Amino acid sequence: MEVSNESAIKKPKRLTSIVWNHFQRIRKADVCYAVCVHCDKKLSGSSNSGTTHLRNHLMRCLKRSNYDVSQLLSAKKKKKDTSLSIANVNANYDEAQRKDEYIKPTIIKFDHEQRKDEIISLGSCRFDQERSRLDLARMIILHGYPLTMVEHVGFKIFVKNLQPLFEIVPNSSIEVSCIEIYMKEKQKVYEMINRLHGRINLAVEMWSSPENTEYLCLIAHYIDEDWKLQQKILNFVTLDSSHTEDMLSEVIINCLMEWDVECNLFAMTFDDCYADDDIVLRIKDRISQNRPLSSNGQLFDVRSVAHVLNLIVQDAMETLREVTEKVRGSVRYVKSSQVIQGKFNDIAQQIGISCQKNLVLDSPTRWNSTYFMLETVIGYKSAFCFLQEHDPAYTSALTDTEWEWASSITGYLKLFVEITNIFSGDKCPTANIYFPEICDVHIQLIEWCKNPDDFLSSMALKMKAKFDRYWSKCSLALAVAAILDPRFKMKLVEYYYSQIYGSTTLDRIKEVSDGIKELFNAYSICSTLVDQGSSLPGSSLPSTSTDSRDRLKGFDKFLHESSQGQSAISDLNKYLEEPVFPRNCDFNILNWWKVHTPRYPILSMMARDILGTPMSTIAPELAFGVGGRVLDSYRCSLNPETRQALICTRDWLQVESEDHNPSSALALYAEAN
C-alpha cells in the first residue's frame, strides 16, 4: 500500500533485517512507513507487516542502483565454522517472528582471501555488467564450453533468476570477449617467456579434423627460475589446405618470431618420428644465422619417443593381425551366451586354470587393450584347446604355432605397455627418465632379431629398423640428459653401451663424452660473455666498459676467458668425478640441481635447458591410441583466430599446479573414438 505525509522517527527501533539497508523508516502519528531509498515509494513499515512486502518491492524496483539483489536476499546466517559469511545478517529475516527478541548482528570474515580486519559490506556491492561479461567469457574458455551456451534457454533462465540485471549477450559478443582475454593473457605469457634466464624447448604437434584439415600446435617447455618444469601452448595454427613442407617450416619460424624466441631456442621435438628432415634443416639454418647450434645441431632435432614406440607396436600388431582376429572370434564365441560362458568356466575350473581375469574384447583404437585381451586369452589357453576338441561349433581355434606366436608377441607388447606407462605416468617428465627405458628396448630388439623362428625374427627386424632411425637422431640427447642425472652420470651410458655395441663400445662412449664436452664449452663461452656484459646474438646485454680509451680492454677479456675456461672445465670434471648420488624413489632431479647450482654454476645452466627438453609429446590419455590427434567437430567449426584463442587461453588460465599438463589439456579437444 502507498501512503503520504511523513515525519522522521525520533527513536527508531533497532532494525535487524538487511532489507532495511534500502528503506527509511518514518512515522506519522502512530503509523510507521517504509520509504524506498531508490524510488521513494512508501510502503507499510509496521513491525506487524513483516518485511516480505519490502523484499518483493526491492526485487521489482527498477530505479534502485545496480545492486546485486539476488545475492542480498539469499543471504543467510552462516554456521560458526563457515569460511565466508555476511556482516549484520539476522538468522531470521521476518521481523514479525522476532518482535521481542534482539539479535546481535554477526560479523563474519574471510578466513583466507580477506585480511583479518576486512568484512564483506553488502551495502557497497554494485553489479558490474562488464566484469560479469568477462567472467562468463573466462568460464567458457577455462572449461571448454561452447560459445553458443549463452543462447541456450536453460542458461538464460538460470542467469535471469540469479541476476536479473545481467544482460544476456549473443555468442558473437562472447567471442569478442574471449579474443580480448586472449590478447591480454598473451602479453603476460610473452613477457614471462622473454624474462627467462634459460632457453626454451619447443614441441611441434600435428592435429587433424574429421574433414582432414591440418593444424599445427606449438608448446613451449622450459624450467623456470624456481626449477619447476613448465609448459605453455604458444600457437594452434590452422594450416592452409595447399600447404607444403616448405610452408610448414615458414609457419613455425613465423610463430617463433612472433614470440621473439627464435634466438632463445634450445631444441625442437617433432611428434612424427618421420618428419621431413628438410623442415628441420630450414629451421636450423634460420636460427643458426643468429646463434650457432651446439654439437652440430644434433641436440636441436628431437623426435617423440612415444611416436616411435607406437610405430614399433603397430608392426607387431600387423604381424599378428590374423591371429588376433582368431582370438577376438574365440572371445566372442565364449561370451555369445550364458550357456557357453558357463561351460567354458567349468572347463577352466576342471583343468585347474588359476587365471581370475575375465575375457574381454579389445578396442581396436587402443593397442594396450589388445595386449590385455591377448594376455588374458593366453592364460586360458588350455581351456580353449579343450573347447576345440569337444565343441564343433567353436571354429576360431588357434593352432599350436599360432599360440606360440601370440605368446611371444604378447611378451613383446608387455615391455612397451610398461614403458609407455612409465613415460605417461610421470608428472614431471624431465628428459633424464627416457635413456634407460629406451636402452632396454634397444637391447630387447637385438635379442628378438636372433629368434630362430623366421616369423618372429622378420617382425623384429622391421621393428628394429624403425627404432634405429630414431636412435640415430636422438641417442646423444638421451645420453646427455642421463649424464646430467647425478644418480647415473657416465656410468649408465657405459653400462648400457657395453650391452648394445659390443666391440665398438669405447668409440660410442667417446662420442657421447665429446658431445657433452662440446656442449659444455659452448655454455662456458656464453657464460663468459654474459659475465662481461658483451652483446650476444639475440641478447640486449650492454657492455660494462665505460672507458673507450682503455688500451688493455683486450687483455682483460683474454684474462677473463682463459681463467673462466679453466674453471669451466673443472666444473664439468668435478661433477663427473664425484660419486654418483644414491638412487631412491623420492629423488627429484630438479630440486637437486636447484640446490647444487652454486656448486656447478655453468653446468646447471646446461642442465636447465637439457632436462626441459620434451622427449615425448603425447598426453597420457592418448598414449595408447592407434590414430593421430583429431580435433572435435565443434572446435573445427570455429574460425581459426577464435580456435587458437580458446585453446591457448584455456591453457594459460589453468591454475598452476604440478598436475597441469598442456598435452593433457589438449586431450579435451580430441574427437572421441
Side-chain angles (χ1 to χ4, degrees):
M1 73 183 98
E2 294 195 29
V3 295
S4 58
N5 298 327
E6 64 210 37
S7 63
I9 298 176
K10 296 181 180 179
K11 294 182 179 181
K13 181 180 178 180
R14 182 180 294 275
L15 305 174
T16 57
S17 174
I18 197 171
V19 174
W20 287 107
N21 289 339
H22 300 269
F23 290 89
Q24 181 183 6
R25 200 175 193 190
I26 62 175
R27 180 189 299 277
K28 181 179 180 182
D30 295 330
V31 182
C32 292
Y33 310 115
V35 180
C36 177
V37 298
H38 303 292
C39 67
D40 295 328
K41 188 169 184 177
K42 299 159 198 152
L43 305 170
S44 173
S46 171
S47 59
N48 293 329
S49 301
T51 58
T52 300
H53 67 296
L54 301 181
R55 276 185 262 128
N56 291 338
H57 167 76
L58 199 56
M59 289 295 294
R60 294 191 300 267
C61 181
L62 300 179
K63 295 184 179 180
R64 66 188 181 278
S65 301
N66 290 333
Y67 190 86
D68 193 346
V69 177
S70 58
Q71 180 184 3
L72 165 71
L73 297 182
S74 64
K76 298 290 184 182
K77 185 173 183 285
K78 305 295 183 181
K79 295 180 181 180
K80 292 183 179 179
D81 59 348
T82 186
S83 63
L84 174 65
S85 49
I86 309 301
N88 300 325
V89 178
N90 229 335
N92 191 332
Y93 288 111
D94 196 339
E95 288 183 334
Q97 299 176 3
R98 297 283 184 176
K99 290 183 189 177
D100 302 322
E101 294 182 12
Y102 169 68
I103 298 180
K104 183 178 180 180
T106 303
I107 297 178
I108 309 173
K109 305 170 184 177
F110 283 108
D111 289 342
H112 303 291
E113 297 182 0
Q114 298 289 331
R115 299 193 310 270
K116 292 184 177 181
D117 58 342
E118 284 186 314
I119 63 173
I120 299 178
S121 175
L122 287 179
S124 63
C125 293
R126 291 183 179 274
F127 170 69
D128 189 332
Q129 169 73 20
E130 179 66 13
R131 177 175 177 176
S132 297
R133 178 180 61 83
L134 291 175
D135 286 343
L136 174 59
R138 286 190 183 92
M139 179 189 74
I140 289 174
I141 293 172
L142 192 58
H143 299 288
Y145 298 144
L147 295 172
T148 53
M149 71 171 290
V150 297
E151 297 182 351
H152 295 172
V153 174
F155 177 78
K156 290 182 178 180
I157 294 174
F158 170 75
V159 171
K160 209 63 182 177
N161 289 332
L162 185 67
Q163 174 50 269
L165 294 178
F166 182 72
E167 297 179 7
I168 301 293
V169 294
N171 63 344
S172 57
S173 297
I174 285 295
E175 184 175 355
V176 172
S177 299
C178 291
I179 297 294
E180 178 183 344
I181 295 171
Y182 164 71
M183 296 305 296
K184 291 181 179 178
E185 295 300 323
K186 182 179 180 180
Q187 183 62 29
K188 294 178 185 178
V189 175
Y190 175 88
E191 293 173 357
M192 179 274 299
I193 286 180
N194 284 276
R195 285 197 304 266
L196 292 174
H197 291 172
R199 295 173 180 171
I200 70 167
N201 298 278
L202 198 69
V204 181
E205 298 182 358
M206 298 301 297
W207 285 67
S208 63
S209 73
E211 293 76 26
N212 295 322
T213 302
E214 290 189 307
Y215 309 96
L216 174 71
C217 181
L218 301 181
I219 305 177
H221 295 246
Y222 59 91
I223 295 175
D224 63 18
E225 303 311 308
D226 197 36
W227 283 89
K228 301 292 184 184
L229 183 62
Q230 305 288 351
Q231 306 170 42
K232 296 288 183 185
I233 300 176
L234 300 184
N235 296 92
F236 197 90
V237 182
T238 304
L239 299 176
D240 187 271
S241 58
S242 61
H243 84 278
T244 62
E245 299 297 344
D246 291 345
M247 293 174 61
L248 183 59
S249 60
E250 286 300 317
V251 170
I252 295 174
I253 292 171
N254 290 337
C255 289
L256 294 175
M257 296 177 66
E258 174 188 352
W259 289 93
D260 287 336
V261 295
E262 69 275 12
C263 294
N264 199 33
L265 191 62
F266 179 77
M268 294 186 67
T269 303
F270 292 83
D271 63 347
D272 185 355
C273 188
Y274 292 154
D276 193 342
D277 291 341
D278 290 339
I279 299 176
V280 183
L281 289 174
R282 280 189 287 270
I283 298 174
K284 276 185 181 180
D285 291 342
R286 181 69 66 88
I287 292 176
S288 62
Q289 293 175 7
N290 298 320
R291 177 180 62 83
L293 297 174
S294 303
S295 301
N296 297 320
Q298 292 182 61
L299 301 180
F300 179 80
D301 182 9
V302 179
R303 304 301 169 97
S304 173
V305 65
H307 185 255
V308 70
L309 292 182
N310 208 313
L311 291 176
I312 292 173
V313 167
Q314 294 313 308
D315 275 344
M317 301 292 288
E318 178 60 27
T319 301
L320 199 66
R321 181 170 53 84
E322 294 182 3
V323 176
T324 303
E325 285 299 326
K326 285 189 175 183
V327 170
R328 291 190 183 109
S330 298
V331 174
R332 289 192 189 99
Y333 179 74
V334 170
K335 299 178 71 67
S336 62
S337 71
Q338 292 183 355
V339 174
I340 298 178
Q341 178 76 68
K343 179 181 177 182
F344 183 83
N345 292 340
D346 292 340
I347 293 173
Q349 187 175 4
Q350 292 172 9
I351 295 177
I353 294 177
S354 59
C355 182
Q356 299 297 319
K357 297 179 181 179
N358 294 323
L359 293 173
V360 291
L361 281 173
D362 66 330
S363 171
T365 59
R366 296 187 63 81
W367 61 265
N368 62 329
S369 69
T370 304
Y371 159 74
F372 291 127
M373 179 187 70
L374 292 171
E375 182 187 44
T376 303
V377 168
I378 290 171
Y380 288 100
K381 174 184 175 182
S382 299
F384 278 107
C385 291
F386 189 91
L387 187 67
Q388 176 186 3
E389 296 174 359
H390 296 84
D391 188 348
Y394 173 46
T395 59
S396 299
L398 279 68
T399 65
D400 291 341
T401 301
E402 289 174 334
W403 278 114
E404 292 178 4
W405 291 345
S407 179
S408 296
I409 294 179
T410 300
Y412 300 169
L413 294 177
K414 181 180 181 180
L415 172 66
F416 295 113
V417 168
E418 292 174 347
I419 291 178
T420 303
N421 282 329
I422 291 173
F423 293 161
S424 61
D426 198 311
K427 294 181 179 179
C428 186
T430 46
N432 59 297
I433 70 171
Y434 296 91
F435 181 76
E437 306 298 338
I438 297 304
C439 285
D440 279 340
V441 172
H442 198 167
I443 293 169
Q444 289 301 318
L445 285 171
I446 293 174
E447 293 300 317
W448 296 343
C449 289
K450 300 176 183 177
N451 195 302
D453 188 310
D454 292 340
F455 178 84
L456 295 175
S457 61
S458 62
M459 178 199 70
L461 288 170
K462 292 180 182 178
M463 298 164 70
K464 190 173 184 301
K466 288 183 171 62
F467 179 87
D468 288 345
R469 180 169 178 178
Y470 167 81
W471 182 257
S472 66
K473 286 182 175 296
C474 303
S475 60
L476 179 60
L478 293 169
V480 170
I483 293 171
L484 292 174
D485 188 327
R487 299 170 299 173
F488 304 137
K489 301 186 178 181
M490 282 296 297
K491 294 298 182 182
L492 191 67
V493 175
E494 295 168 1
Y495 169 74
Y496 276 115
Y497 275 26
S498 63
Q499 300 177 63
I500 294 172
Y501 291 113
S503 60
T504 61
T505 297
L506 294 179
D507 293 336
R508 297 295 186 174
I509 293 175
K510 186 177 185 301
E511 290 176 3
V512 175
S513 179
D514 291 344
I516 193 170
K517 288 179 180 178
E518 179 185 348
L519 180 64
F520 184 75
N521 290 337
Y523 272 84
S524 300
I525 295 172
C526 177
S527 176
T528 300
L529 294 175
V530 170
D531 288 342
Q532 281 197 273
S534 302
S535 295
L536 294 174
S539 173
S540 58
L541 292 175
S543 173
T544 56
S545 176
T546 57
D547 187 358
S548 60
R549 294 182 296 173
D550 185 356
R551 299 180 183 277
L552 294 178
K553 283 194 302 180
F555 170 75
D556 291 338
K557 182 177 180 181
F558 166 78
L559 183 64
H560 183 85
E561 288 180 350
S562 59
S563 61
Q564 186 70 20
Q566 294 173 358
S567 64
I569 294 172
S570 63
D571 191 5
L572 176 61
N573 289 341
K574 178 169 56 178
Y575 169 79
L576 294 176
E577 291 172 1
E578 290 176 348
V580 296
F581 192 81
R583 290 200 307 123
N584 61 76
C585 58
D586 296 327
F587 179 75
N588 185 314
I589 189 171
L590 297 184
N591 284 344
W592 192 93
W593 278 106
K594 179 180 179 181
V595 171
H596 289 80
T597 294
R599 182 169 179 79
Y600 310 109
I602 299 175
L603 196 60
S604 64
M605 293 169 52
M606 191 171 83
R608 186 195 299 272
D609 297 338
I610 292 175
L611 295 177
T613 304
M615 295 296 179
S616 182
T617 62
I618 195 164
E621 298 84 354
L622 305 175
F624 297 100
V626 174
R629 303 176 181 87
V630 180
L631 197 65
D632 64 79
S633 299
Y634 163 67
R635 287 170 182 83
C636 290
S637 67
L638 300 171
N639 69 64
E641 293 76 16
T642 302
R643 179 167 44 247
Q644 175 171 253
L646 292 178
I647 292 176
C648 292
T649 312
R650 181 180 187 272
D651 172 59
W652 302 337
L653 292 180
Q654 290 285 336
V655 178
E656 294 293 339
S657 70
E658 61 181 2
D659 292 329
H660 173 51
N661 186 321
S663 294
S664 295
L666 281 168
L668 171 72
Y669 310 124
E671 186 76 56
N673 291 319

